[in-house]
Amino acid sequence: MNDIGWTYDEKSPIEPIEQTIEHQIEEMASQKNHKRFDEYVASLFPYWVIGLDFPEDDGWNGRNVNILLARIDRRNGI
């Protein structure tokens, strides 16, 4: 964050949430019989959900949350 000049509220820890393919399939289990379910499953990829709170005094006027989605690329060990 420092490299790009963004601050974040250090009192609110960064806690990434991993969204595995298995988890995503589980969330869509009710759609299992949909004709395009297998196509949907084939398009999934694992990713992280990362929420950042910016300090109130940064001037975001109540819009001080940023949600990042980061793709997990296991081929490169990331």
Side-chain angles (χ1 to χ4, degrees):
M1 296 294 288
N2 291 336
D3 291 345
I4 59 175
W6 282 6
T7 59
Y8 65 94
D9 188 349
E10 294 180 20
K11 296 177 203 158
S12 180
I14 298 172
E15 296 181 23
I17 301 167
E18 185 174 8
Q19 297 294 317
T20 64
I21 292 174
E22 293 79 13
H23 177 77
Q24 295 173 63
I25 292 170
E26 196 175 292
E27 286 185 330
M28 294 298 295
S30 66
Q31 301 299 316
K32 189 175 180 180
N33 294 326
H34 190 281
K35 65 182 179 180
R36 296 183 69 188
F37 184 77
D38 291 335
E39 183 180 335
Y40 169 75
V41 169
S43 72
L44 297 175
F45 55 86
Y47 64 96
W48 291 98
V49 177
I50 305 161
L52 300 166
D53 292 326
F54 296 104
E56 292 290 333
D57 57 358
D58 269 6
W60 291 92
N61 299 323
R63 301 180 311 264
N64 63 323
V65 176
N66 192 0
I67 304 295
L68 304 173
L69 302 179
R71 186 176 186 149
I72 301 171
D73 188 351
R74 301 272 187 225
R75 297 171 297 169
N76 296 321
I78 298 173

